[in-house]
Amino acid sequence: MHCPFCGHPETKVIDSRLAGEGRQIRRRRECLECAERFTTFEAAELLMPTVIKGDGSRERFDERKLLAGMQKALEKRPVGGDAIEAAVGRICHKLRSMGDREVASRAVGEMVMEELRHLDEVGYVRFASVYRSFQDVEAFRTEIDQLRRRRRRRQPSDDQLPLLPGDEPSDAGK
């Protein structure tokens, strides 16, 4: 690395340690020419896929745009900023893990919908109304009915056997 003071091309690393919650390495360096010391930070460059929009245009994936959209859907809802940022992190991780250079905006939207459904159902319906372009109240009703069906499927049925000894079905003793 070139010295920022004299431009000499050789420096030596004096100290290295983790920084930025383990996502960066902080290196203390010394110029071999002028002996000045300076700090550099090294981080992995993880490329996100290009998003192919519905009209066929392409744009760079923007994590801030994703975060802003989710915050808007969850505005005035009891969901903390940390939970929203964690959901954005999961979406970004999924996108990187896919290994594709391009991804349809529809796929990103579906990932957002899935995360919102787990975070807050009202935020989910808000986002769905814009994302799926609800035209009338019936579209809202249909989406809410689907949410209710999913919720019922997640709840254990009354005739299901207990998972652990000591757990009783909710209709025990009838």
Side-chain angles (χ1 to χ4, degrees), residues 38-101:
F38 58 98
T39 302
T40 60
F41 290 89
E42 181 180 314
E45 184 178 18
L46 302 172
L47 298 176
M48 296 299 288
T50 299
V51 178
I52 304 171
K53 313 252 319 170
D55 64 1
S57 65
R58 288 164 166 69
E59 73 178 42
R60 292 182 59 173
F61 177 81
D62 187 349
E63 188 174 334
R64 292 172 302 190
K65 187 175 175 182
L66 176 64
L67 178 62
M70 291 184 74
Q71 287 172 330
K72 187 74 171 167
L74 295 166
E75 191 171 16
K76 297 182 181 177
R77 297 296 304 153
V79 179
D82 290 345
I84 298 170
E85 288 179 15
V88 168
R90 285 189 295 273
I91 293 169
C92 290
H93 178 74
K94 286 178 191 173
L95 289 170
R96 278 192 297 270
S97 297
M98 289 169 56
D100 296 333
R101 289 178 167 229

Side-chain angles (χ1 to χ4, degrees), residues 92-127:
C92 290
H93 178 74
K94 286 178 191 173
L95 289 170
R96 278 192 297 270
S97 297
M98 289 169 56
D100 296 333
R101 289 178 167 229
E102 296 181 327
V103 64
S105 62
R106 193 120 197 106
V108 177
E110 292 302 323
M111 289 179 194
V112 171
M113 297 269 290
E114 184 67 22
E115 288 292 335
L116 285 172
R117 192 166 55 80
H118 294 295
L119 286 175
D120 183 75
E121 290 178 342
V122 172
Y124 168 83
V125 173
R126 282 180 183 168
F127 187 85

Side-chain angles (χ1 to χ4, degrees), residues 104-170:
S105 62
R106 193 120 197 106
V108 177
E110 292 302 323
M111 289 179 194
V112 171
M113 297 269 290
E114 184 67 22
E115 288 292 335
L116 285 172
R117 192 166 55 80
H118 294 295
L119 286 175
D120 183 75
E121 290 178 342
V122 172
Y124 168 83
V125 173
R126 282 180 183 168
F127 187 85
S129 70
V130 174
Y131 179 67
R132 294 191 175 145
S133 302
F134 289 179
Q135 299 299 317
D136 55 21
V137 175
E138 198 55 41
F140 279 94
R141 183 173 288 124
T142 302
E143 195 66 39
I144 290 169
D145 288 344
Q146 287 177 354
L147 266 176
R148 286 181 177 148
R149 282 193 296 277
R150 281 191 205 112
R151 190 186 309 146
R152 270 189 243 121
R153 276 187 266 154
R154 281 192 316 227
Q155 294 173 348
S157 67
D158 291 336
D159 60 355
Q160 188 174 3
L161 294 174
L163 180 62
L164 298 171
D167 287 348
E168 297 299 324
S170 58

Side-chain angles (χ1 to χ4, degrees), residues 1-4 8-13 29-32 38:
M1 166 154 249
H2 291 271
C3 173
H8 188 70
E10 294 183 40
T11 60
K12 69 177 178 180
V13 175
R29 296 177 178 268
E30 182 178 335
C31 176
L32 295 178
F38 58 98

